[in-house]
Amino acid sequence: MNQLFSDLHDGGAIAAIFSEESFVDRCLRFERALASVQAELGVIPTEAAEEIGRVASVDNIDFPQLRQKTRSVGLPLVGLVSQVVRLCRADLGQYVHYGATTQDAMDCALALQMQEALALVGDSLAHISAALDALATTHQGTIQAGRTNQQHALPVTFGFKAAVWNSGVRRQMDRLGQVQQRASVGQLGGAVGTLASFSGVGHETRRRLMQQLGLAEPAIAWHAMRDGPTEAVLLLSQIAATLGKIGRDMLMLSSTEVGELAFAADRGASSTMPQKNNPVAASSVVALSRMLFHAAPMMLDASLVENERSLDAWYVELHAVPQCFRLMGALLGQARTMLEELVIDAEKMACNVTLTGGAIVSETVQMELARSIGLNRAHELVARACQKSKTDGVPIAAALVGLHPGLEEAAVASLLDVARHLPFGVREVEAARRDLTAASGEPVLPLMSV
């Protein structure tokens, strides 16, 4: 990718976890831990384990040489193990990678990467959720037009909208907690997963190895069943959908014609139009979400592993997983920036609610009339009144009285007051925050009454 754009959409700490050096470091953690456990069990000499622990460090690896060997072999472990073997003194390097296969090391490295990266995803989502909760509480009573199919529907409050956004983020956080556990499962099985090469202590070796690595022990080899990494990546696309929806809403609300939201004035300049303040972060959120939607399904292809191993499927995964996590790192960074730069114009929101002359709350009039004349008749009557108001330029209340003389214009005008809808938005924000309190166990301050 062009470095200018990769810097703009930098994946940050999450991307760093999937760097070349970070991957090799985790493979070497596997090798050191495996040697240590095998020494404890008397499978290899203690002196060999100590020597492997001393030299199997990322600082000792010749990366140009490793890349060259990887091009030749097709995977990096042969070259990596060869370097560690040569680094060991005497003949102790013969015990490096003892009984293990390439996929054992790489799958454990992947599990370690996902474990750490998903924790960072969770941290960012927690920050985003806190920012949305602050918007919900601050703007619980900020009236705003609710829109369906790009048209005014009924009034909401901006706090209600933020609480709805936050509910989606919280559900993704719940899913993340479950996926983290399944993604943090290690792998040790040898050539085909049966632990045949581990001197009769394979299960104990695997148990102790996972303890040392901080990973969960698998019940059976999963090297040919890739649902763990696939689930993690597909969850990233779900998170992207939630954040992308928020970004899309903000883009629409920041358009010149709507003008209810804006972003930091010192970003988004145009090369030709001096008045422009383009929504860089919100646009990035939507774009990065879309990219994740296209990248994540590669993991479904990567799941089609023939028998006990499939190099072509594995290559797909080796590209898809880092790419998706890098995109997620960039997306989370831009989402946090979007919320930090957000500027809310409550006056414009209140002004926009009045654009239809009260038609935005015509459902309230309809439901009141339905008590006496039935819902279908009421719907038809109010629809005719709204159309008459639009074509003849008369208030909706007057138009309705003209069509149904038994009504009092003042009473109808009272029903068309948008402020009547404020308590509904406040009530829903309060309900959502009570659920949040119950889930977190932390007290949430009550909202002010409207």
Side-chain angles (χ1 to χ4, degrees), residues 122 125-126 129 168-178 180:
L125 288 179
S129 177
V169 172
R170 299 299 300 190
R171 286 191 292 275
Q172 299 298 4
M173 291 171 69
D174 289 343
R175 294 183 182 102
L176 178 63
Q178 299 168 14
Q180 278 179 290

Side-chain angles (χ1 to χ4, degrees), residues 215-392:
L215 298 172
E217 182 184 2
I220 194 170
W222 57 268
H223 65 289
M225 302 299 294
R226 310 307 291 178
D227 51 292
T230 300
E231 181 186 34
V233 166
L234 292 178
L235 175 65
L236 298 184
S237 69
Q238 282 191 281
I239 294 170
T242 294
L243 298 177
K245 184 273 189 291
I246 297 171
R248 285 297 299 167
D249 282 355
M250 290 191 177
L251 286 177
M252 191 278 286
L253 295 173
S254 68
S255 68
T256 302
E257 292 79 5
V258 178
E260 295 177 2
L261 300 180
F263 299 94
D266 59 346
R267 291 192 75 197
S270 166
S271 64
T272 181
M273 294 168 284
Q275 84 280 11
K276 293 298 291 293
N277 177 27
N278 293 318
V280 174
S283 297
S284 295
V285 166
V286 176
L288 290 162
S289 297
R290 286 172 167 160
M291 285 187 267
L292 242 171
F293 298 160
H294 290 285
M298 286 195 288
M299 284 302 295
L300 299 174
D301 276 332
S303 298
L304 300 183
V305 177
E306 295 91 3
N307 297 314
E308 279 62 59
R309 189 167 291 108
S310 175
L311 189 56
D312 60 321
W314 201 5
Y315 282 152
V316 175
E317 178 181 308
L318 292 173
H319 285 280
V321 174
Q323 181 180 352
C324 289
F325 273 96
R326 289 189 185 105
L327 287 169
M328 177 53 57
L331 172 56
L332 291 167
Q334 291 294 330
R336 291 176 67 169
T337 299
M338 175 179 72
L339 290 168
E340 290 166 1
E341 295 181 343
L342 186 63
V343 179
I344 296 150
D345 191 335
E347 290 185 6
K348 190 61 183 290
M349 289 180 179
C351 179
N352 284 344
V353 172
T354 68
L355 288 176
T356 60
I360 193 171
V361 288
S362 60
E363 185 196 53
T364 304
V365 180
Q366 168 193 285
M367 297 311 295
E368 186 64 29
L369 282 173
R371 297 173 183 270
S372 57
I373 66 173
L375 182 58
N376 290 336
R377 292 190 190 93
H379 181 86
E380 181 181 353
L381 181 61
V382 174
R384 287 169 58 199
C386 288
Q387 186 60 39
K388 184 175 178 61
S389 171
K390 187 184 298 185
T391 56
D392 297 351

Side-chain angles (χ1 to χ4, degrees), residues 45-274:
T46 299
E47 186 181 15
E50 291 174 349
E51 182 66 3
I52 293 166
R54 183 182 70 84
V55 302
S57 167
V58 70
D59 296 332
N60 293 332
I61 300 303
D62 183 332
F63 277 90
Q65 185 184 95
L66 180 59
R67 293 186 201 104
Q68 182 178 1
K69 189 69 172 178
T70 301
R71 284 194 295 271
S72 171
V73 176
L75 290 167
L77 259 291
V78 171
L80 185 63
V81 169
S82 296
Q83 288 197 37
V84 176
V85 169
R86 289 196 301 272
L87 288 166
C88 290
R89 61 183 175 80
D91 206 29
L92 297 175
Q94 298 305 309
Y95 296 100
V96 177
H97 200 66
Y98 200 78
T101 192
T102 289
Q103 195 153 7
D104 291 330
M106 290 180 63
D107 278 351
C108 281
L110 174 62
L112 290 168
Q113 288 174 309
M114 291 194 297
Q115 182 184 64
E116 187 175 344
L118 291 173
L120 293 180
V121 172
D123 290 344
S124 284
L125 288 179
H127 279 90
I128 290 168
S129 177
L132 292 173
D133 185 56
L135 287 175
T137 56
T138 302
H139 294 280
Q140 50 149 341
T142 302
I143 196 75
Q144 182 187 34
R147 296 170 172 92
T148 59
N149 302 314
Q150 302 301 322
Q151 298 181 17
H152 283 200
L154 281 171
V156 295
T157 69
F158 184 65
F160 168 77
K161 185 181 287 286
V164 170
W165 290 337
N166 194 24
S167 69
V169 172
R170 299 299 300 190
R171 286 191 292 275
Q172 299 298 4
M173 291 171 69
D174 289 343
R175 294 183 182 102
L176 178 63
Q178 299 168 14
V179 171
Q180 278 179 290
Q181 296 180 27
R182 292 190 285 271
S184 301
V185 177
Q187 166 68 25
L188 183 71
V192 294
T194 61
L195 295 162
S197 55
F198 287 93
S199 306
V201 290
H203 285 99
E204 184 61 17
T205 302
R206 186 173 68 188
R207 185 185 70 80
R208 296 191 188 192
L209 175 63
M210 298 314 150
Q211 283 184 341
Q212 280 210 25
L213 292 174
L215 298 172
E217 182 184 2
I220 194 170
W222 57 268
H223 65 289
M225 302 299 294
R226 310 307 291 178
D227 51 292
T230 300
E231 181 186 34
V233 166
L234 292 178
L235 175 65
L236 298 184
S237 69
Q238 282 191 281
I239 294 170
T242 294
L243 298 177
K245 184 273 189 291
I246 297 171
R248 285 297 299 167
D249 282 355
M250 290 191 177
L251 286 177
M252 191 278 286
L253 295 173
S254 68
S255 68
T256 302
E257 292 79 5
V258 178
E260 295 177 2
L261 300 180
F263 299 94
D266 59 346
R267 291 192 75 197
S270 166
S271 64
T272 181
M273 294 168 284

